[in-house]
């Protein structure tokens, strides 16, 4: 049986039509689910008892289970249990501009990036749309506050679960749903080129971030297997095309890994690679994990890398770190739980 939080407004309208009922019930039900936040259909007082019975027969309302919450000053991390006993994580960050949540899109991940904890476990399955929607709803409920920004940067490769992730955006962006503005939504990919092309046609103005992490194919091949399928000479033109179609500025994520991609000549090469693109580079201090041999670049060297990009007129920021004390790197909480 489908979960009710799986449906976009349009899908729900089609559902009501398909059972010989009226389209406007979809907006009513959306309001009950996303604005009034009912826990049972019986609370939806403007939907008739008979219709309620039909909906109940067709859909389940089950929430996810929050099994662990870790907290630090500026961050909260949630471990969820899914209906099949699998675990996923979401991270809530408190910024001065609002509260943002980083959601997971898959159980496990097949991309195999060498530095990433999540990829240590192969993909078990995609998350359903409702499992992403409920990460947001349940965090808002636990917190008692509104989430203003959402990034799909948790466990999983969102462009390997494209349709469900796009439906998730459609639901949380809907004025009858959570009404989170599309410019406050971001999806991050390791570089699945055909989906970048498809995403350029997606009607909502969701931001795109790309995990670049290397200035050339040689280094990228070593740390990100996806680069062998979609090397830079495919990725970069696809991103330029994306920009031409959408006019939306891109973000490049670049984790600095000691001795791998953090030299001065790497910084110069990176400047050349992105020159002329409307983008900014987000330098990410590596979050070391117990299981993996990569080391974090020290702060002085990070600043040097930053300066070189600046001097070459590249817009660059250094990512603020949240929750270093509480296993905040993606996949760390889950892998502790399951002792992988
Ligand atoms: N699969 C998507 C989204 C999930 S990863 C992607 O690759 O973009 C989200 C970001 O966290 C990516 O840029 C990823 O490379 C980065 N990341 C993974 N492990 C990390 C770690 N230990 N420290 C810092 N960033 C990490």
């Amino acid at each position: 049986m489908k979960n009710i939080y799986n449906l976009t407004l349009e899908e729900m309208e089609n559902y009501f039509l398909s059972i010989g009922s009226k389209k406007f019930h979809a907006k009513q039900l959306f309001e009950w689910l996303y604005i009034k936040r009912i826990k049972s259909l019986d609370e939806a007082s403007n939907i008739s008892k008979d219709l309620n019975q039909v909906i109940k027969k067709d859909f389940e309302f089950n929430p996810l289970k929050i099994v662990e919450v870790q907290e630090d000053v500026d961050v909260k991390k949630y471990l969820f249990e899914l209906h099949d006993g699998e675990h996923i994580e979401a991270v809530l960050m408190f910024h001065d501009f609002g509260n943002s949540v980083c959601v997971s899109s898959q159980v496990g991940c097949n991309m195999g990036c060498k530095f990433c904890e999540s990829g240590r476990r192969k993909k078990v399955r995609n998350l359903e749309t409702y499992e992403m929607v409920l990460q947001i709803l349940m965090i808002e409920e636990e917190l008692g506050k509104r989430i203003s920004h959402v990034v799909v940067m948790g466990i999983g490769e969102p462009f390997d679960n494209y349709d469900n992730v796009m439906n998730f955006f459609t639901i949380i962006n809907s004025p009858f749903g959570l009404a989170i503005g599309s410019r406050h939504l971001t999806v991050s990919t390791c570089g699945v080129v055909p989906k970048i092309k498809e995403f350029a046609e997606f009607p909502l103005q969701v931001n795109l971030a790309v995990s670049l992490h290397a200035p050339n194919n040689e280094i990228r091949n070593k740390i990100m297997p996806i680069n062998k399928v979609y090397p830079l000479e495919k990725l970069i033109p696809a991103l330029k095309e994306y920009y031409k179609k959408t006019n939306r500025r891109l973000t490049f994520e670049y984790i600095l890994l000691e001795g791998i991609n953090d030299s001065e000549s790497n910084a110069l090469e990176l400047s050349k690679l992105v020159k002329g693109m409307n983008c900014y580079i987000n330098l990410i201090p590596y979050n070391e994990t117990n299981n993996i041999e990569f080391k974090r670049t020290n702060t002085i060297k990070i600043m040097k890398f930053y300066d070189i990009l600046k001097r070459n007129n590249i817009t660059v920021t250094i990512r603020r770190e949240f929750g270093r004390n509480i296993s905040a790197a993606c996949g760390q909480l889950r892998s502790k739980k399951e002792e992988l």
Side-chain angles (χ1 to χ4, degrees):
M1 203 180 354
K2 261 200 170 167
N3 191 296
I4 194 87
Y5 296 102
N6 236 19
L7 271 61
T8 64
L9 184 63
E10 196 185 339
E11 287 169 343
M12 204 178 275
E13 286 174 344
N14 291 335
Y15 163 74
F16 280 108
L17 292 175
S18 77
I19 57 169
S21 181
K22 296 273 182 354
K23 213 168 137 171
F24 71 88
H25 290 307
K27 281 185 184 154
Q28 289 179 326
L29 186 51
F30 245 60
E31 251 187 59
W32 286 111
L33 295 177
Y34 296 106
I35 296 169
K36 299 185 183 121
R37 308 282 168 100
I38 53 171
K39 294 284 176 298
S40 140
L41 253 198
D42 300 328
E43 298 172 52
S45 53
N46 61 359
I47 295 178
S48 76
K49 280 221 166 68
D50 290 349
L51 188 53
N52 254 338
Q53 289 310 320
V54 181
I55 305 172
K56 270 188 192 160
K57 231 172 40 300
D58 290 339
F59 295 100
E60 53 180 31
F61 275 79
N62 300 346
L64 310 179
K65 214 163 46 191
I66 296 180
V67 288
E68 196 178 328
V69 182
Q70 286 190 350
E71 197 167 354
D72 207 338
V73 271
D74 49 7
V75 64
K76 249 173 145 174
K77 185 151 186 170
Y78 297 81
L79 186 70
F80 291 97
E81 188 170 301
L82 309 176
H83 66 87
D84 54 359
E86 295 292 349
H87 293 96
I88 51 160
E89 301 170 24
V91 181
L92 164 69
M93 288 159 282
F94 304 109
H95 305 267
D96 40 13
F97 57 75
N99 303 317
S100 78
V101 171
C102 172
V103 305
S104 293
S105 58
Q106 297 179 318
V107 178
C109 180
N110 275 346
M111 299 300 125
C113 299
K114 296 284 191 289
F115 47 81
C116 178
E117 182 76 16
S118 308
R120 284 166 49 79
R121 190 176 182 211
K122 286 273 155 268
K123 178 170 98 174
V124 176
R125 65 176 176 84
N126 284 330
L127 291 193
E128 298 282 331
T129 300
Y130 81 88
E131 292 170 316
M132 292 179 264
V133 172
L134 281 170
Q135 290 175 56
I136 307 295
L137 285 177
M138 296 190 64
I139 290 176
E140 283 197 342
E141 185 180 319
E142 197 273 343
L143 188 68
K145 286 188 190 135
R146 192 171 177 270
I147 304 303
S148 57
H149 293 69
V150 173
V151 296
V152 185
M153 285 188 192
I155 300 173
E157 167 49 48
F159 281 2
D160 185 36
N161 184 17
Y162 186 82
D163 293 342
N164 291 346
V165 171
M166 294 308 124
N167 277 354
F168 163 65
F169 283 136
T170 305
I171 292 170
I172 64 173
N173 172 254
S174 166
F176 301 95
L178 292 176
I180 304 176
S182 61
R183 292 201 168 84
H184 290 187
L185 306 175
T186 302
V187 63
S188 175
T189 179
C190 64
V192 184
V193 168
K195 292 296 171 188
I196 291 172
K197 292 182 178 161
E198 200 173 333
F199 182 65
E201 311 288 342
F202 184 62
L204 304 182
Q205 307 220 320
V206 174
N207 302 301
L208 179 64
V210 175
S211 296
L212 190 60
H213 306 329
N216 60 44
N217 283 327
E218 196 195 336
I219 298 175
R220 206 162 188 265
N221 282 338
K222 280 192 197 138
I223 55 177
M224 298 178 72
I226 187 80
N227 198 65
K228 294 186 185 140
V229 189
Y230 304 114
L232 293 173
E233 60 275 16
K234 290 201 172 124
L235 178 61
I236 300 294
L239 294 173
K240 287 184 175 160
E241 195 59 37
Y242 164 86
Y243 179 74
K244 233 174 35 206
K245 280 196 179 139
T246 62
N247 246 329
R248 293 203 294 273
R249 185 165 78 157
L250 275 171
T251 306
F252 283 116
E253 296 155 279
Y254 194 102
I255 301 180
L256 287 158
L257 302 164
E258 173 66 41
I260 308 266
N261 63 358
D262 62 348
S263 71
E264 294 182 22
S265 71
N266 295 151
L268 267 176
E269 203 175 358
L270 179 60
S271 311
K272 284 196 191 117
L273 182 68
V274 305
K275 188 118 236 143
M277 293 177 81
N278 191 341
C279 66
Y280 83 90
I281 295 185
N282 198 204
L283 296 177
I284 307 177
Y286 182 57
N287 206 330
E288 288 180 8
T289 72
N290 292 333
N291 304 310
I292 294 167
E293 72 273 26
F294 292 97
K295 290 273 166 280
R296 174 194 184 86
T297 297
N298 69 46
T299 309
I300 292 173
K301 215 162 164 197
I302 294 180
M303 289 313 297
K304 211 175 247 169
F305 201 94
Y306 173 91
D307 283 341
I308 294 173
L309 293 176
K310 268 257 150 121
R311 263 188 274 127
N312 283 281
N313 293 319
I314 307 296
T315 314
V316 54
T317 51
I318 298 175
R319 180 176 288 176
R320 176 180 155 203
E321 289 186 88
F322 288 86
R324 274 185 82 183
N325 303 326
I326 60 160
S327 2
C330 58
Q332 283 185 0
L333 193 59
R334 186 204 58 80
S335 79
K336 256 194 202 161
K337 168 96 188 165
E338 298 178 4
E339 289 171 0
L340 285 175

